Each structure stands twice: as structure tokens, then as C-alpha cells.
Amino acid sequence: MAHQDSPDTIEAAGPKPERPIDIYRRAAVCLEACLPLGWTMSSDRPRSPEAPQRLVVTSPEGESVSFAIVASRGVLSGDVARIAAELSDSDRGFVCAHYLSDPVRRQLDQHGISYADATGNLTLVASRPAVWVRNRGADADPWRGPGRPSGVLTGEPSDRVVRALADHSGEMTVPELIKLSGASTGATYRVVEVLMEREFIRRIPRGGITEVRWEQMLRAWAADRKMCATRRFAAPDGLEIVRNQLAERIDITYALSGVGATDYADSDVLELYADDPDDFAGALGLRPVDRGGDVVVAIPWSPVVFDRMDRARSLRSVAPSHVYADLLSGPFRDQEAAEHMRARLTADEAHWRRPIH
């Protein structure tokens, strides 16, 4: 078995590679420098800016092993299981990124996936021909300065940017996104970088956002964001009276969500957002309860729940994108209704995503 374990760190230099082809080339340089004597590597010729599809490593005896190349700007811990699932049972993966953190590298090792980043972190393993190559690179992302994004979609800027991207279609510039979302300039650029690293959006270098993978983005946002506190209330006169009151009054600020904001099924519980649950309950004559209840009121972390509201059965509801996220995770979650909502949103994007131009 050929074995190469280099203690030397290949220092990152120059600008961070952005295009898939550049990410692969930097990773390939690291791998070629660490291969045992007599071993060679090759790949198919890609069409720039895409990376090659396959890497072939050949032993001195002429025996070869092939790897499927996965080039990504950034890989997070939550992405590893997806990458492993997308590889066929008989295939081997070779993940390339500008930087792979220690937790991500450990997960890739556990899944038997080879990898290399532009700082020199590298593992390549195969059983036939038997080869094991390993190298130590940087312990921290050299391109991430103080205050740069953590990779997690939490906080009001993330709420605003994710919702604005999901709710609109068409190519948009970051200044346009800043205006649509209402987030600050710095925060918007930071969230955009996280979304690019997680490959939920595509952006021309220093240019506009050309593609939004809204379903994957909303799933990640639903999983990352904080859980809202909720209050429960009973409706002494029944839910129909409450619905009628909400349909008639414009002085009460609320946004319906959950199953009741969809056409999936009738709900015997009214689920909604309100900034002040006690004021909301007082205006409608609701009685607080510890368990059960007819009305569940969530206190929103950010006012984005009231942006671009929709109508559901004469009631104001959060936007369809927000309904989907709430059904995936949080106090209003319902997996079957979420799948129904996903199918509906996918089937008719033009109905709920507003053209940017």
C-alpha cells in the first residue's frame, strides 16, 4: 500500500479561488505535491468555469482508481451527508473547496470521502490500488477575517435576505437585494457570502445574483433560525368567531401561519404571529391556557414575518415562502403539510415569486 503522510503545511497564497475550476486546480496542486513517488493523476478537460467531473489516480504499476469531483466554494458539516448520499454505492468522491474546517474533514473521513482544500488539508484514500495520502493545511480559514459570517442563517439580517431572495425571481444586484430586504449593506453582503458558500445562490464575481435555490435555502434557514416563544389561548366562542373578527378588523397586527395558512387541510387550531400575545388575546376575548387551546401565538424574532403578507381564507398570512419554512421547523411544523406546500410552490413559482424587474 502506498502511503504518504506529510507534516508540511502548504500555505495558502493569493486571492481565494472562487470559480469551480480554480478551486479544483488549487486542490490538485496540493494533491500532486503529496502523491507518493511514481504515482500520477489526471482529469478530464472541463469547460471553464466548471471543474472536471472525474479525477484518476494511477499507481506505478498502471492500476488506476477514479474519483467523482465535487468542487464547492464552501462545505459545512450539514452538507457532508448530502454529498455522501449523492455518490453512488460504487463511486468514490473527491471534495475540493477553498477551505475545509476540522469538523467537516472529520465527517468526510467518516464517510470515506477524499478531499483537498486550497490551504493543503488533504486526504486521498482507496483500497485498489491501495493508496493513502494525507497532508495538514491551515487550521483556520485564511480568507475569513474578523466578523465574517459563521455559515449559519440566524438573526434578523438572515431572515430579511433569505425572504427577499425567496420571494423574488430574476437576476438581481446586491444593492437591489439590500433595498428589497431592508437589511444593512454590510449584513447583506455577509449573508450573501454565506449563501454562496453553501451554494444556495449563484453570483457573478462582483456582479449580480443569477440563481436562487430557494427550496434548499428555505430548508436550511428553517433549520438554523431560533425557535420562537409561543403562548396558547382558548376561544370561548369558538374559532369561527375569531376568524370573523380577524377578517373584519384592520387594527390588529397578526400574520397567520402553519396548516391554517395552506389549502392542505382544515385546522382546528389557529396558528399565527403577533408582537404582543396578551394585547392580541385581549382584543379578541381569548383566555390564556397552559396546554391545548384553540389559538397558538408565536412572538416573532424579526418583523420580516409581516413583509409581503398573503391572504388565506380572508385572513392575513405570512408569505408562502415563510409558511413553508414554518411547516418544516418551529412551533408550527407539520411535515406532511410542508411537503404539500413544497409541491405547490414548485409547481407555480410565478404565482408567489415576484419579478424583480
Side-chain angles (χ1 to χ4, degrees):
M1 175 178 182
H3 171 217
Q4 185 83 358
D5 190 353
S6 171
D8 299 326
T9 298
I10 297 176
E11 296 291 341
K16 179 173 70 173
E18 294 287 354
R19 301 182 305 166
I21 182 61
D22 297 326
I23 291 170
Y24 168 74
R25 284 170 177 164
R26 292 286 290 272
V29 167
C30 298
L31 174 58
E32 192 165 27
C34 295
L35 280 175
L37 185 65
W39 289 70
T40 59
M41 55 176 283
S42 62
S43 64
D44 57 289
R45 289 185 176 274
R47 177 177 295 180
S48 181
E50 298 304 318
Q53 294 184 338
R54 303 206 69 82
L55 167 71
V56 178
V57 176
T58 305
S59 73
E61 294 75 28
E63 194 174 6
S64 298
V65 59
S66 175
F67 298 81
I69 297 170
V70 181
S72 172
R73 290 187 181 90
V75 178
L76 301 179
S77 295
D79 299 325
V80 177
R82 172 185 57 81
I83 292 171
E86 290 175 352
L87 294 169
S88 64
D89 294 338
S90 60
D91 206 359
R92 291 185 172 276
F94 181 69
V95 171
C96 310
H98 76 269
Y99 176 72
L100 296 166
S101 67
D102 181 62
V104 170
R105 298 197 301 270
R106 289 200 303 268
Q107 288 202 35
L108 289 167
D109 287 335
Q110 291 169 6
H111 283 84
I113 300 174
S114 298
Y115 57 83
D117 69 23
T119 77
N121 290 305
L122 163 69
T123 289
L124 184 113
V125 60
S127 57
R128 182 175 296 178
V131 61
W132 186 73
V133 180
R134 195 171 183 89
N135 189 73
R136 176 76 174 272
D139 292 325
D141 187 344
W143 295 284
R144 188 186 298 280
R148 300 296 288 276
S150 65
V152 180
L153 298 172
T154 58
E156 184 173 335
S158 291
D159 296 346
R160 289 189 172 278
V161 171
V162 167
R163 275 285 315 280
L165 286 168
D167 293 349
H168 295 87
S169 62
E171 183 173 336
M172 72 177 77
T173 64
V174 176
E176 287 174 327
L177 178 58
I178 291 168
K179 184 176 180 180
L180 286 171
S181 67
S184 69
T185 298
T188 300
Y189 274 98
R190 288 193 293 272
V191 177
V192 165
E193 183 172 345
V194 171
L195 296 172
M196 288 174 60
E197 289 184 350
R198 298 181 69 171
E199 299 189 337
F200 297 142
I201 64 173
R202 286 185 179 272
R203 182 188 174 207
I204 299 171
R206 297 183 178 84
I209 297 166
T210 59
E211 180 185 351
V212 178
R213 299 172 65 195
W214 61 263
E215 181 187 346
Q216 294 87 339
M217 179 181 68
L218 290 175
R219 282 185 174 276
W221 176 54
D224 289 352
R225 63 186 179 162
K226 294 181 180 179
M227 182 79 74
C228 294
T230 59
R231 297 280 304 280
R232 292 181 173 272
F233 299 91
D237 299 323
L239 273 185
E240 195 58 33
I241 296 297
V242 176
R243 291 191 179 97
N244 291 338
Q245 288 177 295
L246 289 176
E248 294 170 358
R249 297 183 60 169
I250 61 173
D251 59 322
I252 300 177
T253 302
Y254 73 93
L256 193 69
S257 191
V259 175
T262 74
D263 59 358
Y264 173 67
D266 292 329
S267 177
D268 56 1
V269 178
L270 200 63
E271 300 170 314
L272 52 85
Y273 289 99
D275 284 326
D276 191 322
D278 292 326
D279 284 353
F280 177 85
L284 298 173
L286 305 178
R287 177 171 52 85
V289 293
D290 293 330
R291 297 180 180 179
D294 307 299
V295 181
V296 178
V297 181
I299 305 170
W301 282 107
S302 73
V304 74
V305 298
F306 303 115
D307 288 350
R308 296 177 289 277
M309 288 192 291
D310 202 6
R311 301 289 295 186
R313 302 178 185 179
S314 301
L315 302 180
R316 298 192 296 274
S317 69
V318 296
S321 59
H322 207 116
V323 175
Y324 178 54
D326 284 347
L327 292 170
L328 287 170
S329 178
F332 305 145
R333 63 183 176 274
D334 185 307
Q335 293 304 312
E336 291 185 358
E339 178 56 26
H340 171 84
M341 191 70 178
R342 183 202 64 77
R344 177 175 162 244
L345 296 182
T346 302
D348 191 7
E349 288 191 31
H351 178 73
W352 63 278
R353 299 190 74 200
R354 308 177 185 191
I356 185 66
H357 297 296

